[in-house]
Amino acid sequence: MCGIVGYIGKRDVAPLLLEGLQRLEYRGYDSAGIVITSRTAAGKPGTLKMVKAKGRVRELEAKVPKRFAGTTGIAHTRWATHGAPSDENAHPHLDADNKVAVVHNGIIDNASELRAKLTADGIVFLSDTDTEVLVHLIARAQADTLEEKVREALRHVEGTYGIAVMHADFNDRIVVARNGSPVVLGIGEKEMFVASDVAALVAHTRQVVTLDDGEMATLKADDFRTYTTEGSTTTATPTTVEWEAESYDMGGHDTYMHKEIFEQADAVDRVLRGRIDDRFSTVHLGGLNLDAREARGVRRIKILGCGTSYHAGQIGAQLIEELARIPADAEPASEFRYRNPVVDPDTLYVAVSQSGETYDVLAAVQELKRKGARVLGVVNVVGSAIAREADGGTYVHAGPEVCVVSTKCFTNTVVAFALLALHLGRIRDLSVADGKRIIDGLRRLPEQISEILAGEDEIKRLAAEYAEAKSMMFIGRVRGYPVAREASLKLKEVSYIHAEAYPASELKHGPLALIEPAMPTVAIVPDDDLLEKNRAAMEEIKARSGRILAVAHQVQEKADHTIVVPKNENELDPILMGIPLQLFAYHTALAMGRDIDKPRNLAKSVTVE
Ligand code: M6R
């Protein structure tokens, strides 16, 4: 999804911004652009110089002229919403006098209406974007300061935005604003940065301020101030980003997906670290803001997330029901708001998001808060919008995940849910012995993950064998079903092979009609009380000449191939069973020559509806 980066200081701005854009490439984009200026004597207008290009940042870089010096600038990677990918539609956008430049993430909902009004007033539009209306509104604003001009323009706008604005007549500053799309300020020594994602900042500063919705900021080389869109000053306390710039490097792997799959043992170790309390066979989750009395009062838990985070939430709901005996379920956050849900005061809501910026999840949280619900966040990115909006929660500590296809965050999110379930369980009816059993199981996870990953060569061989399939079926029962759903999502998003996920019990109610030699099935077959039932489902598939790849704790006779994974506690087995299938999806996509880290049509952080 679109990315913003901006700088004001003394350094040569163009190389800084291009490097920042490269760090945002992982978010997905189709064009890029940059606008810069130099400081001038007070009262003397500057000149805005702009370059834009359809395609990758390196194509933009190739177009930047040799003499392109400046010390202030904003730049953007665009993911097309209004208007096709093209040089004209790439951001920044300028007004007719080349005075105002804007980069924008988000969507202006009333853009067509505003465009019609501005066109009637004689404005000529140069792009098909919704963003361009903002440029003209700012250029036409009658106010005396850039801050007031931006504020005046935003009053006409409905929708979501993270914007950065430069003005030739006010070239000692960049003005930014946020409503539904992330804006982070980076504080340096006599220089200031702005970006939509800390990934673009951490190479230069780790002191950041994250704007809230409805907040604006003015950045100057040696200071900044924040205020609301209504003009009242707000307090901005800088926080330190824990992630190092190196965590964004490829670290010797060919792709981020591969790197992130192989980081999982360490990542799980990190989410467990400092949280286990052996004395009481429980865990401490500092930020929940839910005392024992309140936890005992929870009658139901509803988990909301999208895509992979939703699947992690499904496993989380099962863990909560099993360990804490609280009725729990997960629902796609993208649907939740639109069915006018009954919001019950005894229900605890949990919002799950890797990025902490997914619009659908954030909007669900805001709707819940508006109705008086208590919402916890299970989030990876510290200080992100969902983390800040929630009443409390826990971070999943997976470290930065760059590949669009989520792997290590999924695993760490499920482990974080296991911790939450254990914590709630030990406050309620989970025995000391069962608490200890789960803790021992959690402690075994990192080593077992390494054991699974050591089998990469065999998984790669299997992937090559199945890569010819046009379509694949994924099945599992109860604990295995969300694993099947997530594995099917992994395969389709990175390899583009069509994949269906069904509870194994549902096969004979319809999908069995699809089974034939050309439609292989991946079966999740844990050694638990449903083992025989899963075997029966494999029999049904074999009877229709279907090929089967099983992920199991022991070799399955009915399957053509089995990936054997180490056994943990029944409740924790789903955490391990998905991991070989991440590698399976990866190697299938690799064999097919796919763009692994940036699958077509997808973005890392979906900050629009
Ligand atoms: O950042 P989030 O966890 O909120 O993102 C939610 C989904 O967009 C995300 O999980 C998506 O499904 C990934 N591409 C999965 O690999």
Side-chain angles (χ1 to χ4, degrees):
M1 201 118 297
C2 307
I4 291 175
V5 55
Y7 172 85
I8 181 160
K10 289 199 168 67
R11 291 199 261 170
D12 187 15
V13 71
L16 273 179
L17 295 184
L18 290 166
E19 181 242 17
L21 289 184
Q22 271 152 12
R23 296 211 177 254
L24 296 180
E25 281 192 301
Y26 77 94
R27 297 170 69 96
Y29 69 103
D30 45 52
S31 53
I34 176 171
V35 63
I36 66 166
T37 187
S38 297
R39 287 284 303 278
T40 45
K44 197 165 169 260
T47 310
L48 300 185
K49 296 179 270 189
M50 183 172 76
V51 184
K52 308 202 279 187
K54 181 182 165 188
R56 317 306 289 175
V57 173
R58 60 175 178 273
E59 284 153 72
L60 173 70
E61 201 168 357
K63 277 176 90 174
V64 170
K66 280 217 170 56
R67 291 169 60 83
F68 196 68
T71 49
T72 305
I74 53 179
H76 191 262
T77 45
R78 172 176 187 255
W79 200 69
T81 55
H82 293 59
S86 66
D87 287 6
E88 295 71 36
N89 288 336
H91 299 207
H93 293 285
L94 296 182
D95 69 317
D97 297 332
N98 280 5
K99 290 215 154 187
V100 180
V102 175
V103 293
H104 165 228
N105 288 357
I107 292 181
I108 308 295
D109 294 333
N110 59 340
S112 336
E113 191 189 309
L114 292 169
R115 179 181 273 262
K117 275 192 201 149
L118 288 163
T119 308
D121 287 353
I123 302 282
V124 177
F125 278 78
L126 301 176
S127 77
D128 305 318
T129 65
D130 51 339
T131 304
E132 199 183 335
V133 299
L134 260 174
V135 179
H136 299 303
L137 288 170
I138 296 169
R140 284 159 56 105
Q142 293 304 305
D144 294 332
T145 65
L146 180 56
E147 290 77 356
E148 280 166 16
K149 284 178 189 292
V150 174
R151 205 175 288 136
E152 199 177 312
L154 290 177
R155 261 183 231 126
H156 297 279
V157 158
E158 288 161 20
T160 56
Y161 51 80
I163 54 167
V165 184
M166 283 169 50
H167 196 303
D169 295 347
F170 304 89
N171 69 348
D172 63 339
R173 66 196 62 200
I174 299 172
V175 171
V176 300
R178 169 188 172 132
N179 183 40
S181 211
V183 176
V184 188
L185 317 182
I187 300 142
E189 280 290 316
K190 298 214 181 310
E191 59 184 2
M192 288 290 303
F193 299 82
V194 61
S196 52
D197 184 327
V198 291
L201 304 176
V202 286
H204 304 288
T205 176
R206 286 167 59 196
Q207 289 296 299
V208 302
V209 167
T210 309
L211 292 194
D212 282 322
D213 279 348
E215 216 174 5
M216 294 175 62
T218 299
L219 314 184
K220 293 187 173 181
D222 45 14
D223 75 11
F224 73 97
R225 64 187 183 89
T226 58
Y227 41 91
T228 65
T229 35
E230 304 309 318
S232 11
T233 301
T234 54
T235 324
T237 316
T239 54
T240 308
V241 179
E242 282 174 23
W243 299 345
E244 315 266 347
E246 298 75 57
S247 6
Y248 289 93
D249 295 339
M250 208 91 91
H253 295 260
D254 289 338
T255 61
Y256 282 106
M257 183 174 178
H258 195 261
K259 175 189 179 226
E260 286 157 9
I261 289 174
F262 276 83
E263 281 175 340
Q264 292 180 102
D266 286 346
V268 168
D269 192 52
R270 212 162 34 236
V271 67
L272 298 178
R273 207 174 300 154
R275 287 171 155 178
I276 294 176
D277 175 353
D278 287 303
R279 193 161 154 242
F280 291 102
S281 294
T282 187
V283 288
H284 295 299
L285 296 171
L288 284 188
N289 297 334
L290 185 77
D291 66 26
R293 189 181 291 272
E294 290 166 329
R296 290 200 67 86
V298 172
R299 295 272 160 270
R300 173 168 284 281
I301 293 183
K302 164 73 80 184
I303 300 168
L304 299 164
C306 294
T308 287
S309 290
Y310 161 53
H311 296 152
Q314 285 192 305
I315 302 178
Q318 291 186 358
L319 281 160
I320 289 167
E321 286 210 347
E322 290 196 273
L323 301 181
R325 302 305 296 153
I326 303 172
D329 71 322
E331 183 176 335
S334 47
E335 287 288 281
F336 179 74
R337 244 164 4 122
Y338 290 103
R339 61 175 185 79
N340 193 19
V342 176
V343 173
D344 174 6
D346 295 334
T347 298
L348 177 65
Y349 294 85
V350 182
V352 195
S353 175
Q354 182 284 126
S355 59
E357 300 289 351
T358 301
Y359 180 80
D360 286 321
V361 185
L362 183 61
V365 173
Q366 287 167 341
E367 173 75 353
L368 281 166
K369 299 270 318 260
R370 199 184 57 77
K371 291 184 170 177
R374 182 190 281 243
V375 188
L376 299 186
V378 175
V379 170
N380 191 40
V381 178
V382 175
S384 53
I386 294 164
R388 284 179 298 125
E389 192 82 39
D391 298 300
T394 183
Y395 285 115
V396 307
H397 296 300
E401 191 178 67
V402 174
C403 179
V404 167
V405 181
S406 181
T407 51
K408 64 172 179 172
C409 273
F410 171 77
T411 302
N412 265 40
T413 303
V414 179
V415 176
F417 269 115
L419 298 179
L420 178 63
L422 177 58
H423 170 80
L424 294 173
R426 288 290 296 121
I427 287 172
R428 296 158 78 105
D429 296 327
L430 191 74
S431 68
V432 171
D434 273 334
K436 181 172 178 334
R437 180 175 63 78
I438 295 298
I439 287 174
D440 290 346
L442 288 167
R443 283 199 169 115
R444 289 199 298 278
L445 286 172
E447 209 180 312
Q448 291 180 315
I449 291 172
S450 301
E451 204 183 310
I452 293 170
L453 297 176
E456 181 179 21
D457 288 347
E458 174 61 6
I459 296 170
K460 181 177 177 183
R461 196 188 61 72
L462 290 170
E465 213 171 305
Y466 286 85
E468 290 152 19
K470 292 270 172 297
S471 185
M472 285 183 82
M473 180 75 81
F474 286 74
I475 57 167
R477 291 200 69 159
V478 188
R479 295 186 193 104
Y481 176 50
V483 177
R485 294 192 72 181
E486 173 57 12
S488 123
L489 175 65
K490 281 302 76 108
L491 183 74
K492 66 187 136 206
E493 70 181 331
V494 70
S495 73
Y496 319 152
I497 292 178
H498 170 249
E500 298 252 6
Y502 269 94
S505 53
E506 282 287 305
L507 272 184
K508 57 184 160 306
H509 298 296
L512 206 52
L514 295 173
I515 299 298
E516 47 145 350
M519 171 85 156
T521 299
V522 174
I524 313 298
V525 190
D527 255 4
D528 63 9
D529 43 342
L530 291 169
L531 178 61
E532 288 314 318
K533 301 222 175 274
N534 276 317
R535 284 185 171 147
M538 287 194 285
E539 294 246 18
E540 286 172 349
I541 294 167
K542 275 322 300 174
R544 274 92 189 163
S545 308
R547 276 195 301 159
I548 302 174
L549 168 63
V551 177
H553 294 120
Q554 47 181 305
V555 172
Q556 295 301 313
E557 272 176 24
K558 288 289 159 212
D560 297 270
H561 304 97
T562 308
I563 300 173
V564 177
V565 295
K567 178 85 183 91
N568 199 298
E569 299 305 318
N570 286 348
E571 298 91 331
L572 303 180
D573 280 334
I575 299 170
L576 295 170
M577 299 194 90
I579 289 174
L581 294 173
Q582 297 172 346
L583 269 182
F584 178 78
Y586 172 80
H587 281 292
T588 307
L590 198 65
M592 299 174 81
R594 302 303 192 214
D595 185 354
I596 305 260
D597 285 333
K598 295 184 221 69
R600 68 182 180 203
N601 309 336
L602 298 180
K604 182 65 184 162
S605 177
V606 186
T607 51
V608 293
E609 191 168 6

